[in-house]
Amino acid sequence: MLLPAAADSVRAPTACFFVGALGWLGWRIRGARPAGGEGALARAVLGLLVLLLRPAAVYTWLDVSVPLPAVLLAGFAVQAAVLLLLTAALAVVGGRDLAAG
């Protein structure tokens, strides 16, 4: 995504994580249950890494001479909230898989 002076380097990895995590959770809901919870925990750790990068990327834009639109800041906040929920869901699923296995 292009911002006033440069590109947002974290939006694409975050969107890819959303698609991958939702696809993996949807696959599990359909009944395909892999052994162990390593896959869910690995995705949860990846989600934590992306979650750490998201505010770091936004922080550089808070001191820009061109003011950011409120919609853009709200989009950053919503994306971070959804990322946090998906990471928590993956951690719960991985913990349950490890406890059951």
Side-chain angles (χ1 to χ4, degrees):
M1 177 178 153
L2 293 178
L3 293 176
D8 179 8
S9 60
V10 183
R11 184 162 296 256
T14 305
C16 290
F17 175 77
F18 288 162
V19 171
L22 287 174
W24 190 84
L25 288 171
W27 179 57
R28 289 199 32 93
I29 290 172
R30 290 188 55 125
R33 306 232 178 228
E38 297 85 9
L41 292 179
R43 285 170 180 82
V45 169
L46 179 64
L48 285 175
L49 290 174
V50 174
L51 187 59
L52 289 174
L53 289 175
R54 182 77 261 167
V58 173
Y59 182 75
T60 60
W61 287 103
L62 294 179
D63 194 29
V64 175
S65 61
V66 178
L68 291 176
V71 172
L72 189 61
L73 290 175
F76 286 146
V78 167
Q79 192 179 48
V82 171
L83 182 60
L84 182 64
L85 290 173
L86 273 175
T87 302
L90 287 168
V92 167
V93 168
R96 286 183 182 173
D97 285 351
L98 285 177

